[in-house]
Amino acid sequence: MLPTLLRELFQQLEFYSSHRAPQLLIGLAICGFLLILLPDDRLAILAFLAQRLVALALLWSAIQVPLGTTSIIASTAVAVIYAVTELRLFLAARRKALPDGRGAGRISLPFGALAAALGLLVTYGALQTWVGDLLPMVVAFPAILLTVNGFLVLLLASNAGRTGLGILTLVDACRVLYALWQPNLLVWGLWSACDVLVAVSASHVHSAQVASLRAETGEGAT
Amino acid sequence: MKLYWLTALPLAGSAVAFLLPRRLRLYMAALGLVTALACARLALLMPLDNSTLFLGQQWMLDRAGQSLLTLIYIATAMMIVVAVVAEQADWFSPPVLASCGLLSAAVALRSALLSFMLLPAALLVLPLSTLPSSPGAVRGATRFLIWVALPILCVPVAITMLQRGALTPDQPGLTELSAWLVLPPVIMWWTLFPFDGTTRLWSRDQLSVTSAFLWTAKDGVIVYLLLALWRQYPLSYTRDVAGVLNIAGLGTAVVSGSLAFAQSNPSAVLACAAMSELGIAVQGISVGSTDGVLGGLFLLLSRSAAVLLASSALAAARSALARDAESNASPYRWRSVIVLVGLAVGVLSMAGLPPLGGFSARQQIYAALQPENRYLLLAWLSATAGIVLGLVRTGWSLWHAEPTPSSEPLYDLPVLLVLCLLLLCLWIGLRSEATARLLSELFRDLLPLS
């Protein structure tokens, strides 16, 4: 059952990678826009995972099955880690009737929209001025967009979880370039393991941050 | 005994420690301590220069790698004891054991590419030891996560280019570019200037034993990997790259040292002193000559001992102050005096005051650097002045601090630990020539570069 499903998934990814590149590029831009725009962490995580999936589909014809499978496994692990952390924080906040610590440092929706629009503008400018001549569009656009979005997410991050998303977005940008450059399976695998470690550490630091905020606000209130 | 046990054993120990409930923190610490000491013994028993194949990769331990791993595991065992005293053992032991396992693999693997990819993996687990009670530690760990993870791209590109450059010597531009690409990861992983505030922030509110681990184990492994890379690909060591590394080291030494004056917590002064000392060690290593590299290694060794001493003194301060306050029979606060002397000797050794280890190592590095830097001494002196003033200011407040009782009575064991480390620090300083000779014997595989 599972091998059949995976085979079909790989065929679909191959098809999308070779025949639907323009649509995937638009999808990548939308996901990046949402990642910066959405103030809610849980929705931002969903936008990030969608962005990763689109980037993986775009790269599929360059990286093929072994590297792609490694990336799928690492992305699933990242998704599970972030989901479990958010669930734990949510349940702890509900059980103890404490503030969830989400409001601190969060950016407003109009500011997020402006920042995301700036990201698209910078990407377009960079493509038009120099990078467009050096690399094919299908590589240059995702690499620049992910780099710009990664830096924006890092700059606007209100907590360590968001910082982790920014780091992973930047790492994805690097991976787009490395995929073109005879990638080594062991290096790719170690890199994917580093992704998982970034997610684990960012989630832990985020939990510690929320615990510290609760100690300040929740206990102070009671 | 196969070499991969040096990786497998700490990773297994870490996994078991992670699974233990937090209330069993003494069992967790005991497990960590036994694992670290067993790994130190294992590293000493491993056959040297004996290549083995595992996971399709060549693994081999040379004398320098063996010495480094033994020192790392012994230092880790001491830090676990310090973490018990500081009541951080449950947060500290599991991630640090995992990090040690991955660092061992980075040292033992003969592939430069995989070693440099394993290093960030070993560092990325360390934010898991962040204490939730400290907002500064949370911010420091977040910054550390960024600086460790971001330069990963440069590594496969730079080392693959170095390998290609070695095969095609008619393209010197390729090697030069790859030499430059190695630089950002090294500077960011060392957290040199302008990233030097990371561990200072991590230790701003209270002593962070994880930062002590970073200053002892992590920095040593980066030096080992960088020197091994320069030896394997001599063209990657260029005058310009060494110059940039020298400037980053000098910036770290001066900025971190001077900022020590502005700190209000002794743990933050310790962080400033440790980073300042690292900057000077990097300056020595960047010279590339035998004297410079040996001076840098000596400084790193003396700094590790000083960091352990100052950390153990800070960890023991609370219980020492409390026990002195309890025992009204004696008018002398001897425990507090020993703890403060330990802290002062540790920090002053890092400030480079004679006759401590930091001074002897600085002399060696200065001799290697003197022809190139006229005002170097003034720059180092400004850092020393900042550290000394910061120590006086925070030491005074520590002496007059209100005693708070520890939740676990440890009697005078922490003070005994401080005394032992104090003797070690003084021995390194007073027997500096013997220590330098021992270092040149142990690390001769990595010398000279030019």
Side-chain angles (χ1 to χ4, degrees):
Chain A
M1 181 70 179
L2 189 66
T4 317
L5 271 175
L6 282 176
R7 206 174 305 121
E8 281 179 15
L9 174 71
F10 294 158
Q11 281 170 357
Q12 287 293 320
L13 285 169
E14 179 71 47
F15 172 76
Y16 279 111
S17 180
S18 355
H19 296 92
R20 296 280 186 271
Q23 288 89 334
L24 288 175
L25 289 178
I26 294 169
L28 195 69
I30 293 170
C31 291
F33 194 88
L34 290 175
L35 176 61
I36 299 170
L37 174 75
L38 293 170
D40 188 276
D41 287 345
R42 285 164 282 194
L43 293 176
I45 291 165
L46 283 179
F48 166 76
L49 290 171
Q51 176 186 274
R52 256 204 154 186
L53 193 64
V54 174
L56 184 66
L58 255 175
L59 285 181
W60 191 264
S61 54
I63 58 174
Q64 292 299 330
V65 176
L67 303 185
T69 313
T70 316
S71 290
I72 290 174
I73 294 169
S75 301
T76 311
V78 169
V80 169
I81 290 161
Y82 267 101
V84 169
T85 308
E86 288 299 321
L87 188 68
R88 276 183 54 203
L89 291 175
F90 171 73
L91 290 177
R94 204 174 60 169
R95 197 167 48 239
K96 294 180 182 171
L98 285 170
D100 63 359
R102 288 175 187 283
R106 183 190 281 183
I107 58 163
S108 64
L109 207 63
F111 184 74
L114 276 175
L118 176 73
L120 283 177
L121 197 66
V122 171
T123 307
Y124 179 74
L127 271 176
Q128 291 298 315
T129 45
W130 13 277
V131 187
D133 301 335
L134 299 172
L135 292 168
M137 181 69 167
V138 98
V139 175
F141 180 77
I144 298 171
L145 181 74
L146 290 171
T147 307
V148 173
N149 282 350
F151 276 116
L152 281 173
V153 174
L154 275 184
L155 284 173
L156 302 175
S158 56
N159 57 52
R162 284 268 180 158
T163 305
L165 293 185
I167 293 170
L168 291 174
T169 306
L170 273 170
V171 167
D172 282 345
C174 302
R175 204 173 278 133
V176 170
L177 295 173
Y178 185 62
L180 292 180
W181 208 58
Q182 298 176 4
N184 177 323
L185 179 58
L186 263 174
V187 172
W188 194 275
L190 267 175
W191 206 343
S192 301
C194 285
D195 280 4
V196 179
L197 291 175
V198 167
V200 172
S201 292
S203 297
H204 171 77
V205 179
H206 179 39
S207 303
Q209 205 169 11
V210 172
S212 152
L213 269 173
R214 280 175 187 158
E216 280 175 20
T217 54
E219 285 171 14
T222 53
Chain B
M1 190 63 86
K2 300 285 184 190
L3 203 50
Y4 51 76
W5 279 108
L6 275 176
T7 300
L9 188 61
L11 285 179
S14 164
V16 175
F18 260 122
L19 293 174
L20 284 175
R22 287 215 181 274
R23 64 173 186 280
L24 302 177
R25 56 172 169 265
L26 276 179
Y27 290 101
M28 221 184 251
L31 176 68
L33 191 64
V34 169
T35 311
L37 290 174
C39 287
R41 179 79 186 131
L42 209 58
L44 281 174
L45 289 176
M46 286 294 168
L48 291 180
D49 303 321
N50 187 11
S51 171
T52 52
L53 269 178
F54 179 61
L55 295 174
Q57 296 298 316
Q58 196 187 4
W59 299 59
M60 198 175 78
L61 202 60
D62 52 15
R63 182 177 285 277
Q66 185 190 44
S67 314
L68 178 69
L69 288 183
T70 311
L71 285 173
I72 285 177
Y73 279 115
I74 291 172
T76 304
M78 286 183 189
M79 277 182 274
I80 289 173
V81 177
V82 174
V84 171
V85 177
E87 297 181 8
Q88 296 176 14
D90 46 342
W91 296 98
F92 179 75
S93 302
V96 161
L97 280 181
S99 184
C100 279
L102 293 170
L103 287 176
S104 301
V107 170
L109 267 169
R110 288 300 97 184
S111 157
L113 181 57
L114 291 180
S115 293
F116 270 90
M117 288 299 289
L118 271 169
L119 182 64
L123 302 182
L124 281 170
V125 295
L126 290 171
L128 289 176
S129 63
T130 313
L131 295 171
S133 56
S134 165
V138 168
R139 284 177 57 206
T142 310
R143 280 198 201 173
F144 181 76
L145 203 58
I146 298 172
W147 305 145
V148 168
L150 284 193
I152 294 178
L153 165 75
C154 296
V155 173
V157 175
I159 294 177
T160 313
M161 279 168 74
L162 270 177
Q163 287 164 344
R164 286 183 191 173
L167 293 175
T168 52
D170 52 321
Q171 290 180 306
L174 200 66
T175 312
E176 198 177 337
L177 179 64
S178 52
W180 281 108
L181 279 174
V182 172
L183 207 53
V186 168
I187 288 179
M188 288 166 97
W189 288 337
W190 258 328
T191 61
L192 293 181
F193 181 77
F195 311 104
D196 58 318
T198 310
T199 47
R200 187 168 64 235
L201 190 59
W202 202 328
S203 315
R204 192 188 62 187
D205 305 321
Q206 65 186 82
L207 168 74
S208 163
V209 191
T210 311
S211 296
F213 178 80
L214 289 173
W215 298 321
T216 47
K218 180 259 291 178
D219 291 343
V221 172
I222 297 175
V223 170
Y224 176 84
L225 291 182
L226 186 65
L227 291 176
L229 189 78
W230 282 346
R231 274 183 72 86
Q232 195 176 353
Y233 305 104
L235 289 176
S236 65
Y237 176 80
T238 65
R239 196 177 169 77
D240 293 339
V241 167
V244 172
L245 209 52
N246 194 349
I247 290 168
L250 182 64
T252 312
V254 175
V255 173
S256 283
S258 308
L259 281 178
F261 172 56
Q263 307 305 317
S264 55
N265 198 315
S267 59
V269 175
L270 167 63
C272 288
M275 286 311 296
S276 176
E277 184 105 316
L278 172 68
I280 296 172
V282 168
Q283 280 190 278
I285 287 161
S286 70
V287 178
S289 65
T290 307
D291 281 347
V293 173
L294 266 180
L297 291 176
F298 184 19
L299 198 59
L300 285 178
L301 181 77
S302 114
R303 170 178 175 257
S304 300
V307 162
L308 282 172
L309 170 62
S311 302
S312 63
L314 278 176
R318 192 167 58 165
S319 67
L321 287 170
R323 281 181 65 76
D324 275 341
E326 279 170 17
S327 55
N328 295 324
S330 167
Y332 304 107
R333 298 167 62 185
W334 63 271
R335 296 179 191 87
S336 308
V337 170
I338 290 175
V339 162
L340 268 181
V341 168
L343 176 67
V345 168
V347 174
L348 290 178
S349 170
M350 284 186 272
L353 289 194
L356 300 164
F359 178 73
S360 316
R362 270 175 177 75
Q363 274 185 316
Q364 207 170 339
I365 294 173
Y366 187 71
L369 280 167
Q370 201 177 19
E372 298 172 18
N373 297 278
R374 198 184 289 175
Y375 299 108
L376 186 66
L377 200 60
L378 279 178
W380 285 1
L381 276 176
S382 67
T384 302
I387 295 168
V388 172
L389 288 172
L391 175 70
V392 171
R393 187 179 162 201
T394 53
W396 183 260
S397 60
L398 185 67
W399 176 256
H400 291 285
E402 283 294 319
T404 48
S406 164
S407 62
E408 287 168 10
L410 289 161
Y411 309 104
D412 289 330
L413 280 177
V415 181
L416 190 67
L417 177 69
V418 174
L419 264 178
C420 294
L421 286 168
L422 184 63
L423 290 176
L424 174 71
C425 240
L426 289 174
W427 188 86
I428 289 176
L430 297 173
R431 302 290 304 272
S432 56
E433 283 182 13
T435 314
R437 264 201 309 277
L438 181 70
L439 276 177
S440 68
E441 176 66 25
L442 291 177
F443 291 94
R444 67 168 184 267
D445 294 345
L446 299 172
L447 307 168
L449 292 163
S450 59

